[in-house]
PDB file of all heavy atoms in Angstrom:
ATOM      1  N   ASP A   1      96.994  88.046  92.346  1.00 75.00           N
ATOM      2  CA  ASP A   1      97.572  86.771  91.935  1.00 75.00           C
ATOM      3  C   ASP A   1      99.074  86.874  91.686  1.00 75.00           C
ATOM      4  O   ASP A   1      99.813  85.911  91.876  1.00 75.00           O
ATOM      5  CB  ASP A   1      96.873  86.278  90.663  1.00 75.00           C
ATOM      6  CG  ASP A   1      95.467  85.765  90.945  1.00 75.00           C
ATOM      7  OD1 ASP A   1      95.179  85.450  92.106  1.00 75.00           O
ATOM      8  OD2 ASP A   1      94.665  85.702  89.995  1.00 75.00           O
ATOM      9  N   ARG A   2      99.521  88.043  91.273  1.00 77.00           N
ATOM     10  CA  ARG A   2     100.928  88.198  90.903  1.00 77.00           C
ATOM     11  C   ARG A   2     101.815  88.582  92.090  1.00 77.00           C
ATOM     12  O   ARG A   2     102.913  88.041  92.257  1.00 77.00           O
ATOM     13  CB  ARG A   2     101.058  89.243  89.798  1.00 77.00           C
ATOM     14  CG  ARG A   2     102.485  89.458  89.280  1.00 77.00           C
ATOM     15  CD  ARG A   2     102.496  90.446  88.127  1.00 77.00           C
ATOM     16  NE  ARG A   2     101.886  89.864  86.929  1.00 77.00           N
ATOM     17  CZ  ARG A   2     102.583  89.356  85.913  1.00 77.00           C
ATOM     18  NH1 ARG A   2     103.901  89.345  85.950  1.00 77.00           N
ATOM     19  NH2 ARG A   2     101.967  88.851  84.868  1.00 77.00           N
ATOM     20  N   PHE A   3     101.354  89.517  92.921  1.00 81.00           N
ATOM     21  CA  PHE A   3     102.221  90.067  93.981  1.00 81.00           C
ATOM     22  C   PHE A   3     101.793  89.683  95.391  1.00 81.00           C
ATOM     23  O   PHE A   3     102.521  89.942  96.346  1.00 81.00           O
ATOM     24  CB  PHE A   3     102.275  91.595  93.882  1.00 81.00           C
ATOM     25  CG  PHE A   3     102.845  92.095  92.580  1.00 81.00           C
ATOM     26  CD1 PHE A   3     102.026  92.678  91.628  1.00 81.00           C
ATOM     27  CD2 PHE A   3     104.192  91.961  92.299  1.00 81.00           C
ATOM     28  CE1 PHE A   3     102.541  93.136  90.427  1.00 81.00           C
ATOM     29  CE2 PHE A   3     104.716  92.408  91.098  1.00 81.00           C
ATOM     30  CZ  PHE A   3     103.888  92.992  90.154  1.00 81.00           C
ATOM     31  N   GLY A   4     100.613  89.112  95.556  1.00 82.00           N
ATOM     32  CA  GLY A   4     100.159  88.716  96.879  1.00 82.00           C
ATOM     33  C   GLY A   4      99.365  89.806  97.569  1.00 82.00           C
ATOM     34  O   GLY A   4      99.521  90.999  97.275  1.00 82.00           O
ATOM     35  N   PRO A   5      98.499  89.440  98.521  1.00 85.00           N
ATOM     36  CA  PRO A   5      97.578  90.402  99.127  1.00 85.00           C
ATOM     37  C   PRO A   5      98.230  91.394 100.073  1.00 85.00           C
ATOM     38  O   PRO A   5      97.791  92.550 100.166  1.00 85.00           O
ATOM     39  CB  PRO A   5      96.595  89.503  99.877  1.00 85.00           C
ATOM     40  CG  PRO A   5      97.364  88.251 100.162  1.00 85.00           C
ATOM     41  CD  PRO A   5      98.272  88.062  98.984  1.00 85.00           C
ATOM     42  N   ARG A   6      99.265  90.984 100.797  1.00 88.00           N
ATOM     43  CA  ARG A   6      99.840  91.865 101.813  1.00 88.00           C
ATOM     44  C   ARG A   6     100.395  93.133 101.202  1.00 88.00           C
ATOM     45  O   ARG A   6     100.053  94.254 101.613  1.00 88.00           O
ATOM     46  CB  ARG A   6     100.949  91.119 102.575  1.00 88.00           C
ATOM     47  CG  ARG A   6     101.552  91.913 103.714  1.00 88.00           C
ATOM     48  CD  ARG A   6     102.757  91.187 104.276  1.00 88.00           C
ATOM     49  NE  ARG A   6     103.867  91.178 103.330  1.00 88.00           N
ATOM     50  CZ  ARG A   6     105.143  91.320 103.671  1.00 88.00           C
ATOM     51  NH1 ARG A   6     105.467  91.478 104.936  1.00 88.00           N
ATOM     52  NH2 ARG A   6     106.088  91.290 102.762  1.00 88.00           N
ATOM     53  N   ARG A   7     101.248  92.997 100.185  1.00 90.00           N
ATOM     54  CA  ARG A   7     101.878  94.176  99.585  1.00 90.00           C
ATOM     55  C   ARG A   7     100.886  95.015  98.792  1.00 90.00           C
ATOM     56  O   ARG A   7     100.937  96.260  98.831  1.00 90.00           O
ATOM     57  CB  ARG A   7     103.036  93.734  98.683  1.00 90.00           C
ATOM     58  CG  ARG A   7     104.263  93.258  99.453  1.00 90.00           C
ATOM     59  CD  ARG A   7     105.387  92.858  98.506  1.00 90.00           C
ATOM     60  NE  ARG A   7     105.077  91.611  97.804  1.00 90.00           N
ATOM     61  CZ  ARG A   7     105.850  91.079  96.867  1.00 90.00           C
ATOM     62  NH1 ARG A   7     106.957  91.702  96.497  1.00 90.00           N
ATOM     63  NH2 ARG A   7     105.528  89.930  96.300  1.00 90.00           N
ATOM     64  N   VAL A   8      99.960  94.350  98.099  1.00 92.00           N
ATOM     65  CA  VAL A   8      99.003  95.090  97.275  1.00 92.00           C
ATOM     66  C   VAL A   8      98.093  95.940  98.152  1.00 92.00           C
ATOM     67  O   VAL A   8      97.896  97.144  97.903  1.00 92.00           O
ATOM     68  CB  VAL A   8      98.177  94.125  96.411  1.00 92.00           C
ATOM     69  CG1 VAL A   8      97.022  94.853  95.725  1.00 92.00           C
ATOM     70  CG2 VAL A   8      99.062  93.457  95.364  1.00 92.00           C
ATOM     71  N   GLU A   9      97.538  95.362  99.205  1.00 93.00           N
ATOM     72  CA  GLU A   9      96.624  96.138 100.047  1.00 93.00           C
ATOM     73  C   GLU A   9      97.352  97.238 100.813  1.00 93.00           C
ATOM     74  O   GLU A   9      96.842  98.358 100.940  1.00 93.00           O
ATOM     75  CB  GLU A   9      95.877  95.232 101.024  1.00 93.00           C
ATOM     76  CG  GLU A   9      94.869  96.031 101.848  1.00 93.00           C
ATOM     77  CD  GLU A   9      93.997  95.176 102.740  1.00 93.00           C
ATOM     78  OE1 GLU A   9      93.965  93.944 102.564  1.00 93.00           O
ATOM     79  OE2 GLU A   9      93.347  95.745 103.627  1.00 93.00           O
ATOM     80  N   ALA A  10      98.531  96.943 101.330  1.00 94.00           N
ATOM     81  CA  ALA A  10      99.273  97.977 102.073  1.00 94.00           C
ATOM     82  C   ALA A  10      99.563  99.188 101.193  1.00 94.00           C
ATOM     83  O   ALA A  10      99.395 100.336 101.616  1.00 94.00           O
ATOM     84  CB  ALA A  10     100.570  97.389 102.622  1.00 94.00           C
ATOM     85  N   ALA A  11      99.986  98.957  99.940  1.00 95.00           N
ATOM     86  CA  ALA A  11     100.270 100.065  99.034  1.00 95.00           C
ATOM     87  C   ALA A  11      99.010 100.852  98.716  1.00 95.00           C
ATOM     88  O   ALA A  11      99.010 102.096  98.702  1.00 95.00           O
ATOM     89  CB  ALA A  11     100.911  99.533  97.749  1.00 95.00           C
ATOM     90  N   LEU A  12      97.918 100.152  98.487  1.00 97.00           N
ATOM     91  CA  LEU A  12      96.674 100.841  98.136  1.00 97.00           C
ATOM     92  C   LEU A  12      96.106 101.630  99.308  1.00 97.00           C
ATOM     93  O   LEU A  12      95.492 102.692  99.113  1.00 97.00           O
ATOM     94  CB  LEU A  12      95.648  99.828  97.630  1.00 97.00           C
ATOM     95  CG  LEU A  12      95.913  99.263  96.233  1.00 97.00           C
ATOM     96  CD1 LEU A  12      94.924  98.159  95.900  1.00 97.00           C
ATOM     97  CD2 LEU A  12      95.842 100.368  95.184  1.00 97.00           C
ATOM     98  N   LEU A  13      96.292 101.151 100.541  1.00 96.00           N
ATOM     99  CA  LEU A  13      95.799 101.904 101.692  1.00 96.00           C
ATOM    100  C   LEU A  13      96.487 103.262 101.822  1.00 96.00           C
ATOM    101  O   LEU A  13      95.890 104.230 102.300  1.00 96.00           O
ATOM    102  CB  LEU A  13      95.979 101.091 102.971  1.00 96.00           C
ATOM    103  CG  LEU A  13      95.023  99.917 103.153  1.00 96.00           C
ATOM    104  CD1 LEU A  13      95.291  99.200 104.471  1.00 96.00           C
ATOM    105  CD2 LEU A  13      93.565 100.360 103.092  1.00 96.00           C
ATOM    106  N   LEU A  14      97.735 103.357 101.380  1.00 97.00           N
ATOM    107  CA  LEU A  14      98.410 104.661 101.387  1.00 97.00           C
ATOM    108  C   LEU A  14      97.776 105.604 100.363  1.00 97.00           C
ATOM    109  O   LEU A  14      97.717 106.820 100.581  1.00 97.00           O
ATOM    110  CB  LEU A  14      99.898 104.477 101.101  1.00 97.00           C
ATOM    111  CG  LEU A  14     100.687 103.684 102.155  1.00 97.00           C
ATOM    112  CD1 LEU A  14     102.157 103.563 101.740  1.00 97.00           C
ATOM    113  CD2 LEU A  14     100.569 104.347 103.530  1.00 97.00           C
ATOM    114  N   VAL A  15      97.312 105.042  99.251  1.00 97.00           N
ATOM    115  CA  VAL A  15      96.569 105.853  98.281  1.00 97.00           C
ATOM    116  C   VAL A  15      95.279 106.368  98.918  1.00 97.00           C
ATOM    117  O   VAL A  15      94.899 107.544  98.757  1.00 97.00           O
ATOM    118  CB  VAL A  15      96.259 105.033  97.012  1.00 97.00           C
ATOM    119  CG1 VAL A  15      95.388 105.828  96.046  1.00 97.00           C
ATOM    120  CG2 VAL A  15      97.546 104.593  96.333  1.00 97.00           C
ATOM    121  N   ALA A  16      94.581 105.508  99.658  1.00 97.00           N
ATOM    122  CA  ALA A  16      93.357 105.921 100.344  1.00 97.00           C
ATOM    123  C   ALA A  16      93.638 107.004 101.374  1.00 97.00           C
ATOM    124  O   ALA A  16      92.847 107.952 101.531  1.00 97.00           O
ATOM    125  CB  ALA A  16      92.706 104.715 101.013  1.00 97.00           C
ATOM    126  N   ALA A  17      94.767 106.897 102.085  1.00 97.00           N
ATOM    127  CA  ALA A  17      95.124 107.922 103.068  1.00 97.00           C
ATOM    128  C   ALA A  17      95.345 109.268 102.399  1.00 97.00           C
ATOM    129  O   ALA A  17      94.925 110.315 102.920  1.00 97.00           O
ATOM    130  CB  ALA A  17      96.382 107.493 103.834  1.00 97.00           C
ATOM    131  N   SER A  18      95.985 109.266 101.230  1.00 97.00           N
ATOM    132  CA  SER A  18      96.172 110.530 100.508  1.00 97.00           C
ATOM    133  C   SER A  18      94.832 111.096 100.067  1.00 97.00           C
ATOM    134  O   SER A  18      94.615 112.312 100.087  1.00 97.00           O
ATOM    135  CB  SER A  18      97.094 110.318  99.300  1.00 97.00           C
ATOM    136  OG  SER A  18      96.466 109.512  98.314  1.00 97.00           O
ATOM    137  N   GLY A  19      93.893 110.219  99.675  1.00 96.00           N
ATOM    138  CA  GLY A  19      92.568 110.685  99.301  1.00 96.00           C
ATOM    139  C   GLY A  19      91.822 111.300 100.465  1.00 96.00           C
ATOM    140  O   GLY A  19      91.160 112.336 100.316  1.00 96.00           O
ATOM    141  N   CYS A  20      91.919 110.695 101.652  1.00 96.00           N
ATOM    142  CA  CYS A  20      91.269 111.271 102.841  1.00 96.00           C
ATOM    143  C   CYS A  20      91.859 112.630 103.183  1.00 96.00           C
ATOM    144  O   CYS A  20      91.133 113.575 103.547  1.00 96.00           O
ATOM    145  CB  CYS A  20      91.405 110.316 104.024  1.00 96.00           C
ATOM    146  SG  CYS A  20      90.324 108.882 103.961  1.00 96.00           S
ATOM    147  N   THR A  21      93.169 112.754 103.081  1.00 96.00           N
ATOM    148  CA  THR A  21      93.814 114.041 103.362  1.00 96.00           C
ATOM    149  C   THR A  21      93.347 115.106 102.379  1.00 96.00           C
ATOM    150  O   THR A  21      93.017 116.242 102.767  1.00 96.00           O
ATOM    151  CB  THR A  21      95.340 113.889 103.283  1.00 96.00           C
ATOM    152  OG1 THR A  21      95.768 112.896 104.212  1.00 96.00           O
ATOM    153  CG2 THR A  21      96.029 115.207 103.601  1.00 96.00           C
ATOM    154  N   LEU A  22      93.293 114.744 101.095  1.00 96.00           N
ATOM    155  CA  LEU A  22      92.839 115.697 100.081  1.00 96.00           C
ATOM    156  C   LEU A  22      91.379 116.068 100.299  1.00 96.00           C
ATOM    157  O   LEU A  22      90.998 117.238 100.117  1.00 96.00           O
ATOM    158  CB  LEU A  22      93.032 115.088  98.689  1.00 96.00           C
ATOM    159  CG  LEU A  22      92.667 115.984  97.492  1.00 96.00           C
ATOM    160  CD1 LEU A  22      93.522 117.243  97.488  1.00 96.00           C
ATOM    161  CD2 LEU A  22      92.828 115.217  96.182  1.00 96.00           C
ATOM    162  N   PHE A  23      90.544 115.116 100.706  1.00 93.00           N
ATOM    163  CA  PHE A  23      89.135 115.411 100.964  1.00 93.00           C
ATOM    164  C   PHE A  23      89.000 116.392 102.125  1.00 93.00           C
ATOM    165  O   PHE A  23      88.156 117.305 102.090  1.00 93.00           O
ATOM    166  CB  PHE A  23      88.378 114.117 101.274  1.00 93.00           C
ATOM    167  CG  PHE A  23      86.887 114.220 101.112  1.00 93.00           C
ATOM    168  CD1 PHE A  23      86.283 113.831  99.928  1.00 93.00           C
ATOM    169  CD2 PHE A  23      86.085 114.703 102.128  1.00 93.00           C
ATOM    170  CE1 PHE A  23      84.907 113.919  99.763  1.00 93.00           C
ATOM    171  CE2 PHE A  23      84.711 114.799 101.986  1.00 93.00           C
ATOM    172  CZ  PHE A  23      84.122 114.410 100.793  1.00 93.00           C
ATOM    173  N   GLY A  24      89.817 116.208 103.146  1.00 92.00           N
ATOM    174  CA  GLY A  24      89.760 117.115 104.280  1.00 92.00           C
ATOM    175  C   GLY A  24      90.206 118.525 103.940  1.00 92.00           C
ATOM    176  O   GLY A  24      89.794 119.485 104.586  1.00 92.00           O
ATOM    177  N   LEU A  25      91.050 118.656 102.902  1.00 93.00           N
ATOM    178  CA  LEU A  25      91.555 119.972 102.501  1.00 93.00           C
ATOM    179  C   LEU A  25      90.737 120.603 101.377  1.00 93.00           C
ATOM    180  O   LEU A  25      90.832 121.812 101.152  1.00 93.00           O
ATOM    181  CB  LEU A  25      93.008 119.844 102.029  1.00 93.00           C
ATOM    182  CG  LEU A  25      94.034 119.395 103.071  1.00 93.00           C
ATOM    183  CD1 LEU A  25      95.383 119.145 102.401  1.00 93.00           C
ATOM    184  CD2 LEU A  25      94.177 120.440 104.181  1.00 93.00           C
ATOM    185  N   GLY A  26      89.949 119.820 100.656  1.00 88.00           N
ATOM    186  CA  GLY A  26      89.280 120.282  99.450  1.00 88.00           C
ATOM    187  C   GLY A  26      88.225 121.345  99.707  1.00 88.00           C
ATOM    188  O   GLY A  26      87.539 121.326 100.737  1.00 88.00           O
ATOM    189  N   THR A  27      88.078 122.238  98.734  1.00 85.00           N
ATOM    190  CA  THR A  27      87.088 123.323  98.839  1.00 85.00           C
ATOM    191  C   THR A  27      86.182 123.387  97.615  1.00 85.00           C
ATOM    192  O   THR A  27      85.280 124.219  97.577  1.00 85.00           O
ATOM    193  CB  THR A  27      87.782 124.676  99.022  1.00 85.00           C
ATOM    194  OG1 THR A  27      88.687 124.899  97.928  1.00 85.00           O
ATOM    195  CG2 THR A  27      88.556 124.722 100.343  1.00 85.00           C
ATOM    196  N   THR A  28      86.421 122.553  96.608  1.00 85.00           N
ATOM    197  CA  THR A  28      85.585 122.547  95.416  1.00 85.00           C
ATOM    198  C   THR A  28      85.091 121.129  95.153  1.00 85.00           C
ATOM    199  O   THR A  28      85.699 120.147  95.604  1.00 85.00           O
ATOM    200  CB  THR A  28      86.356 123.048  94.173  1.00 85.00           C
ATOM    201  OG1 THR A  28      87.405 122.115  93.864  1.00 85.00           O
ATOM    202  CG2 THR A  28      86.951 124.425  94.427  1.00 85.00           C
ATOM    203  N   ILE A  29      84.000 121.037  94.393  1.00 86.00           N
ATOM    204  CA  ILE A  29      83.442 119.725  94.097  1.00 86.00           C
ATOM    205  C   ILE A  29      84.438 118.881  93.313  1.00 86.00           C
ATOM    206  O   ILE A  29      84.572 117.668  93.536  1.00 86.00           O
ATOM    207  CB  ILE A  29      82.119 119.874  93.319  1.00 86.00           C
ATOM    208  CG1 ILE A  29      81.062 120.547  94.195  1.00 86.00           C
ATOM    209  CG2 ILE A  29      81.625 118.517  92.835  1.00 86.00           C
ATOM    210  CD1 ILE A  29      79.740 120.778  93.494  1.00 86.00           C
ATOM    211  N   GLY A  30      85.175 119.491  92.378  1.00 88.00           N
ATOM    212  CA  GLY A  30      86.135 118.746  91.579  1.00 88.00           C
ATOM    213  C   GLY A  30      87.225 118.116  92.424  1.00 88.00           C
ATOM    214  O   GLY A  30      87.574 116.943  92.241  1.00 88.00           O
ATOM    215  N   VAL A  31      87.778 118.887  93.354  1.00 91.00           N
ATOM    216  CA  VAL A  31      88.830 118.367  94.219  1.00 91.00           C
ATOM    217  C   VAL A  31      88.286 117.267  95.122  1.00 91.00           C
ATOM    218  O   VAL A  31      88.921 116.216  95.321  1.00 91.00           O
ATOM    219  CB  VAL A  31      89.452 119.508  95.050  1.00 91.00           C
ATOM    220  CG1 VAL A  31      90.402 118.951  96.110  1.00 91.00           C
ATOM    221  CG2 VAL A  31      90.191 120.483  94.143  1.00 91.00           C
ATOM    222  N   LEU A  32      87.101 117.493  95.678  1.00 91.00           N
ATOM    223  CA  LEU A  32      86.514 116.493  96.562  1.00 91.00           C
ATOM    224  C   LEU A  32      86.175 115.212  95.805  1.00 91.00           C
ATOM    225  O   LEU A  32      86.329 114.107  96.340  1.00 91.00           O
ATOM    226  CB  LEU A  32      85.259 117.053  97.229  1.00 91.00           C
ATOM    227  CG  LEU A  32      85.497 118.199  98.232  1.00 91.00           C
ATOM    228  CD1 LEU A  32      84.177 118.732  98.750  1.00 91.00           C
ATOM    229  CD2 LEU A  32      86.368 117.736  99.396  1.00 91.00           C
ATOM    230  N   ALA A  33      85.722 115.330  94.559  1.00 90.00           N
ATOM    231  CA  ALA A  33      85.432 114.136  93.763  1.00 90.00           C
ATOM    232  C   ALA A  33      86.707 113.356  93.472  1.00 90.00           C
ATOM    233  O   ALA A  33      86.722 112.119  93.526  1.00 90.00           O
ATOM    234  CB  ALA A  33      84.733 114.532  92.460  1.00 90.00           C
ATOM    235  N   LEU A  34      87.792 114.063  93.152  1.00 94.00           N
ATOM    236  CA  LEU A  34      89.076 113.396  92.944  1.00 94.00           C
ATOM    237  C   LEU A  34      89.531 112.687  94.212  1.00 94.00           C
ATOM    238  O   LEU A  34      90.004 111.542  94.179  1.00 94.00           O
ATOM    239  CB  LEU A  34      90.124 114.410  92.495  1.00 94.00           C
ATOM    240  CG  LEU A  34      91.567 113.893  92.390  1.00 94.00           C
ATOM    241  CD1 LEU A  34      91.661 112.766  91.364  1.00 94.00           C
ATOM    242  CD2 LEU A  34      92.520 115.040  92.037  1.00 94.00           C
ATOM    243  N   ALA A  35      89.381 113.358  95.344  1.00 94.00           N
ATOM    244  CA  ALA A  35      89.767 112.757  96.617  1.00 94.00           C
ATOM    245  C   ALA A  35      88.944 111.515  96.906  1.00 94.00           C
ATOM    246  O   ALA A  35      89.456 110.486  97.359  1.00 94.00           O
ATOM    247  CB  ALA A  35      89.609 113.776  97.742  1.00 94.00           C
ATOM    248  N   ARG A  36      87.645 111.618  96.625  1.00 93.00           N
ATOM    249  CA  ARG A  36      86.763 110.479  96.859  1.00 93.00           C
ATOM    250  C   ARG A  36      87.148 109.296  95.960  1.00 93.00           C
ATOM    251  O   ARG A  36      87.095 108.134  96.375  1.00 93.00           O
ATOM    252  CB  ARG A  36      85.328 110.919  96.590  1.00 93.00           C
ATOM    253  CG  ARG A  36      84.263 109.917  96.966  1.00 93.00           C
ATOM    254  CD  ARG A  36      83.996 109.887  98.430  1.00 93.00           C
ATOM    255  NE  ARG A  36      82.921 108.940  98.726  1.00 93.00           N
ATOM    256  CZ  ARG A  36      82.736 108.364  99.889  1.00 93.00           C
ATOM    257  NH1 ARG A  36      83.559 108.620 100.892  1.00 93.00           N
ATOM    258  NH2 ARG A  36      81.744 107.534 100.093  1.00 93.00           N
ATOM    259  N   ALA A  37      87.550 109.583  94.731  1.00 94.00           N
ATOM    260  CA  ALA A  37      87.994 108.518  93.822  1.00 94.00           C
ATOM    261  C   ALA A  37      89.268 107.858  94.342  1.00 94.00           C
ATOM    262  O   ALA A  37      89.422 106.624  94.260  1.00 94.00           O
ATOM    263  CB  ALA A  37      88.209 109.082  92.426  1.00 94.00           C
ATOM    264  N   LEU A  38      90.192 108.645  94.866  1.00 96.00           N
ATOM    265  CA  LEU A  38      91.419 108.083  95.435  1.00 96.00           C
ATOM    266  C   LEU A  38      91.108 107.175  96.625  1.00 96.00           C
ATOM    267  O   LEU A  38      91.743 106.131  96.810  1.00 96.00           O
ATOM    268  CB  LEU A  38      92.367 109.206  95.857  1.00 96.00           C
ATOM    269  CG  LEU A  38      93.043 109.980  94.730  1.00 96.00           C
ATOM    270  CD1 LEU A  38      93.819 111.171  95.300  1.00 96.00           C
ATOM    271  CD2 LEU A  38      93.974 109.068  93.927  1.00 96.00           C
ATOM    272  N   ILE A  39      90.130 107.582  97.432  1.00 95.00           N
ATOM    273  CA  ILE A  39      89.739 106.745  98.565  1.00 95.00           C
ATOM    274  C   ILE A  39      89.187 105.416  98.062  1.00 95.00           C
ATOM    275  O   ILE A  39      89.547 104.338  98.549  1.00 95.00           O
ATOM    276  CB  ILE A  39      88.697 107.474  99.442  1.00 95.00           C
ATOM    277  CG1 ILE A  39      89.303 108.713 100.087  1.00 95.00           C
ATOM    278  CG2 ILE A  39      88.166 106.527 100.520  1.00 95.00           C
ATOM    279  CD1 ILE A  39      88.286 109.600 100.793  1.00 95.00           C
TER     280      ILE A  39
END
């Protein structure tokens, strides 16, 4: 409602991309859970 859908979703998708990258690199359950939360 405050900033509009275009900017909010674009910014959040970059957070999801970082989560996917971390998931692909993760080797422990804790790291993978954090990555999954970021996604």
Side-chain angles (χ1 to χ4, degrees):
D1 287 341
R2 182 176 290 260
F3 299 108
R6 184 188 69 141
R7 287 181 289 176
V8 170
E9 183 174 346
L12 287 174
L13 287 181
L14 296 179
V15 175
S18 68
C20 285
T21 302
L22 183 61
F23 199 95
L25 296 173
T27 57
T28 66
I29 295 178
V31 171
L32 293 176
L34 173 61
R36 188 78 178 157
L38 288 173
I39 295 171

